[in-house]
Coordinates of all heavy atoms in Angstrom, one line a residue:
G34 N -5.1 5.3 9.8 CA -5.4 5.1 11.2 C -6.9 5.2 11.5 O -7.4 4.4 12.3
V35 N -7.5 6.1 10.9 CA -9.0 6.3 11.0 C -9.7 5.0 10.6 O -10.6 4.5 11.3 CB -9.5 7.5 10.3 CG1 -11.0 7.6 10.2 CG2 -8.9 8.8 10.9
R36 N -9.3 4.5 9.5 CA -9.9 3.3 9.0 C -9.6 2.1 9.9 O -10.5 1.2 10.1 CB -9.5 3.0 7.5 CG -10.0 4.0 6.5 CD -9.9 3.6 5.1 NE -8.6 2.9 4.7 CZ -7.5 3.6 4.3 NH1 -7.5 4.9 4.2 NH2 -6.5 2.9 3.9
L37 N -8.4 2.0 10.4 CA -8.0 1.0 11.3 C -8.9 1.0 12.6 O -9.3 0.0 13.2 CB -6.5 1.1 11.7 CG -5.9 0.1 12.6 CD1 -6.0 -1.3 12.0 CD2 -4.4 0.4 12.7
A38 N -9.2 2.2 13.1 CA -10.0 2.4 14.3 C -11.4 1.7 14.2 O -11.9 1.2 15.1 CB -10.1 3.8 14.7
A39 N -11.9 1.7 12.9 CA -13.2 1.1 12.7 C -13.3 -0.4 13.0 O -14.3 -0.9 13.2 CB -13.7 1.5 11.3
V40 N -12.1 -1.0 12.9 CA -12.1 -2.5 13.1 C -11.3 -2.9 14.4 O -11.3 -4.1 14.7 CB -11.6 -3.2 11.9 CG1 -12.4 -3.0 10.7 CG2 -10.1 -2.9 11.6
L41 N -10.7 -1.9 15.0 CA -9.9 -2.2 16.2 C -10.8 -2.5 17.4 O -11.9 -2.0 17.5 CB -9.1 -1.0 16.6 CG -8.0 -1.2 17.6 CD1 -6.9 -2.1 17.2 CD2 -7.5 0.2 18.0
R42 N -10.4 -3.4 18.3 CA -11.2 -3.7 19.5 C -10.2 -4.1 20.6 O -9.0 -4.3 20.4 CB -12.1 -4.9 19.2 CG -11.5 -6.1 18.6 CD -12.6 -7.1 18.2 NE -11.9 -8.3 17.6 CZ -12.3 -8.9 16.5 NH1 -13.4 -8.5 15.9 NH2 -11.7 -9.9 16.1
P43 N -10.8 -4.0 21.9 CA -9.9 -4.4 23.0 C -9.3 -5.8 22.8 O -10.0 -6.7 22.3 CB -10.9 -4.3 24.2 CG -12.0 -3.4 23.8 CD -12.1 -3.6 22.3
G44 N -8.1 -5.9 23.2 CA -7.3 -7.2 23.0 C -6.5 -7.2 21.8 O -5.6 -8.0 21.7
D45 N -6.7 -6.2 20.9 CA -5.9 -6.2 19.7 C -4.5 -5.5 20.0 O -4.4 -4.6 20.8 CB -6.6 -5.3 18.6 CG -7.7 -6.1 17.9 OD1 -7.7 -7.3 18.0 OD2 -8.6 -5.4 17.3
V46 N -3.5 -5.9 19.2 CA -2.2 -5.3 19.2 C -1.9 -4.9 17.8 O -2.0 -5.7 16.9 CB -1.1 -6.2 19.7 CG1 0.3 -5.5 19.6 CG2 -1.4 -6.6 21.2
V47 N -1.6 -3.6 17.6 CA -1.1 -3.2 16.3 C 0.3 -2.7 16.4 O 0.6 -1.8 17.2 CB -2.0 -2.0 15.7 CG1 -1.4 -1.5 14.4 CG2 -3.4 -2.4 15.6
A48 N 1.2 -3.5 15.8 CA 2.7 -3.2 15.8 C 3.0 -2.3 14.6 O 2.7 -2.6 13.5 CB 3.4 -4.5 15.7
L49 N 3.6 -1.1 15.0 CA 3.9 -0.1 14.0 C 5.4 0.0 13.8 O 6.1 0.5 14.8 CB 3.3 1.2 14.3 CG 1.8 1.3 14.5 CD1 1.3 2.5 15.2 CD2 1.2 1.2 13.1
S50 N 6.0 -0.5 12.8 CA 7.4 -0.6 12.6 C 7.9 0.3 11.4 O 7.1 0.5 10.5 CB 7.8 -2.1 12.3 OG 9.2 -2.2 12.2
G51 N 9.1 0.8 11.5 CA 9.6 1.6 10.5 C 10.6 2.6 11.0 O 10.7 2.9 12.2
P52 N 11.4 3.3 10.2 CA 12.4 4.3 10.6 C 11.8 5.5 11.2 O 10.5 5.8 11.0 CB 13.2 4.6 9.4 CG 12.3 4.3 8.2 CD 11.4 3.2 8.7
L53 N 12.6 6.3 11.8 CA 12.1 7.6 12.3 C 11.5 8.4 11.2 O 12.0 8.5 10.1 CB 13.3 8.4 12.9 CG 13.8 8.0 14.3 CD1 15.2 8.7 14.6 CD2 12.8 8.2 15.4
G54 N 10.4 9.0 11.5 CA 9.7 9.9 10.5 C 8.9 9.2 9.4 O 8.4 9.8 8.5
A55 N 8.7 7.9 9.6 CA 8.0 7.1 8.5 C 6.5 7.2 8.6 O 5.8 6.9 7.6 CB 8.4 5.6 8.6
G56 N 6.0 7.6 9.8 CA 4.5 7.8 9.9 C 3.8 6.9 10.9 O 2.6 6.9 10.9
K57 N 4.6 6.3 11.8 CA 4.0 5.4 12.8 C 3.1 6.2 13.7 O 1.9 5.8 14.0 CB 5.1 4.7 13.6 CG 6.0 3.9 12.8 CD 7.2 3.3 13.7 CE 8.1 4.3 14.3 NZ 9.0 4.9 13.3
T58 N 3.5 7.3 14.2 CA 2.7 8.2 15.1 C 1.5 8.7 14.4 O 0.5 8.9 15.0 CB 3.6 9.3 15.7 OG1 4.7 8.6 16.5 CG2 2.8 10.1 16.7
S59 N 1.7 9.1 13.1 CA 0.5 9.6 12.3 C -0.6 8.5 12.3 O -1.8 8.9 12.4 CB 0.9 10.0 10.9 OG 1.8 11.1 11.0
I60 N -0.3 7.3 12.1 CA -1.3 6.2 12.1 C -1.9 6.1 13.4 O -3.1 6.1 13.6 CB -0.6 4.9 11.6 CG1 -0.3 4.9 10.2 CG2 -1.6 3.7 11.9 CD1 0.5 3.7 9.7
A61 N -1.1 6.1 14.5 CA -1.6 6.0 15.9 C -2.6 7.2 16.1 O -3.6 7.0 16.8 CB -0.5 5.9 16.9
R62 N -2.2 8.4 15.7 CA -3.0 9.6 16.0 C -4.3 9.5 15.2 O -5.4 9.9 15.7 CB -2.3 10.8 15.5 CG -1.2 11.2 16.5 CD -0.4 12.4 16.1 NE 0.6 12.8 17.1 CZ 1.7 13.5 16.9 NH1 2.0 13.8 15.7 NH2 2.5 13.8 17.9
G63 N -4.3 8.9 14.0 CA -5.6 8.7 13.3 C -6.5 7.7 14.0 O -7.7 8.0 14.1
V64 N -5.9 6.6 14.6 CA -6.7 5.7 15.4 C -7.4 6.4 16.5 O -8.6 6.3 16.8 CB -5.9 4.5 15.9 CG1 -6.6 3.7 16.9 CG2 -5.4 3.6 14.7
L65 N -6.5 7.1 17.3 CA -7.0 7.8 18.5 C -8.1 8.9 18.2 O -9.1 9.0 18.9 CB -5.9 8.4 19.3 CG -4.9 7.3 19.9 CD1 -3.6 7.9 20.3 CD2 -5.6 6.6 21.1
A66 N -7.9 9.6 17.1 CA -8.8 10.6 16.8 C -10.2 10.0 16.4 O -11.2 10.5 16.8 CB -8.3 11.5 15.6
A67 N -10.1 8.9 15.7 CA -11.4 8.2 15.3 C -12.1 7.6 16.4 O -13.3 7.4 16.4 CB -11.1 7.2 14.2

Side-chain angles (χ1 to χ4, degrees):
V35 169
R36 292 193 320 271
L37 184 58
V40 298
L41 189 71
R42 55 187 177 223
D45 284 339
V46 176
V47 178
L49 300 165
S50 183
L53 285 169
K57 300 178 295 292
T58 300
S59 294
I60 292 172
R62 286 178 175 153
V64 170
L65 292 164

